[in-house]
Amino acid sequence: MYKKSKLVFIDDLQQHDPKDGGAAYFTAKALIIAEDNGQYHGSVETLRISDLILKQSSFIYDGVHSREAHKLYTWPRNLGDMAAWAASKKTFLEQHVMHFPIQIHSVQEQHHLNWEFITPEQFKKTPQNIQASAAFQHYLDHIAEYFFLRKERNDPV
């Protein structure tokens, strides 16, 4: 479940096809730095990465303006083609979201997110008093091995 945080999706982009025939969604493992009442927590969790590009979610660009996040990727010509929807989402997520740090500014209801890209330097500024899970501690101990945290932002707009 999302909360106000900084995070970067690191691997394991997985497609999930609902049994009811609805639109596919994707999950991925993420490094997460979240703050709760002045205490910082570092963890590694699997989240629904495709929630970032739902119609209800907002992408913040240039620090001020926002747009509906579902307008960030190319929709298929045939809107009823679920396989084409899934392929389009996957391509966008792989090119623009996987391995690029983001910040979740707010969460309204379960899947309505306001988010923006941040720089790798902003993500790597880890609070000294962070309570880290074992998996997040591995990241802290081996931060130089996370090559993607040296890449430039890849904003889709």
Side-chain angles (χ1 to χ4, degrees), residues 2 48 51-52 54 56-57 107-113:
Y2 283 95
R48 285 177 60 145
D51 284 3
L52 293 170
L54 290 175
Q56 301 90 333
S57 293
V107 179
Q108 294 102 20
E109 299 180 30
Q110 189 172 358
H111 302 288
H112 304 192
L113 310 171

Side-chain angles (χ1 to χ4, degrees), residues 13-131:
L13 185 62
Q14 300 292 317
Q15 182 173 331
H16 303 271
D17 296 305
K19 291 181 179 17
D20 66 4
Y25 65 91
F26 293 86
T27 59
K29 195 178 295 181
L31 293 167
I32 303 168
I33 301 171
E35 187 261 335
D36 184 26
N37 294 323
Q39 179 59 54
Y40 291 91
H41 302 275
S43 61
V44 177
E45 299 175 30
T46 299
L47 299 172
R48 285 177 60 145
I49 188 172
S50 52
D51 284 3
L52 293 170
I53 55 174
L54 290 175
K55 183 176 183 173
Q56 301 90 333
S57 293
S58 297
F59 170 69
I60 301 166
Y61 60 97
D62 73 12
V64 179
H65 300 93
S66 67
R67 67 189 304 186
E68 292 176 355
H70 74 285
K71 294 180 179 177
L72 296 174
Y73 66 98
T74 305
W75 297 357
R77 288 179 186 248
N78 177 359
L79 298 181
D81 184 347
M82 292 301 159
W85 273 110
S88 182
K89 288 180 194 178
K90 183 177 182 183
T91 297
F92 176 81
L93 294 170
E94 287 174 338
Q95 291 178 353
H96 295 285
V97 180
M98 292 296 296
H99 303 126
F100 293 101
I102 64 172
Q103 183 165 354
I104 306 294
H105 288 283
S106 64
V107 179
Q108 294 102 20
E109 299 180 30
Q110 189 172 358
H111 302 288
H112 304 192
L113 310 171
N114 291 320
W115 63 279
E116 72 176 325
F117 288 104
I118 58 174
T119 66
E121 291 74 28
Q122 288 170 304
F123 182 82
K124 289 188 280 188
K125 289 180 185 173
T126 307
Q128 290 184 330
N129 64 340
I130 193 166
Q131 293 182 348

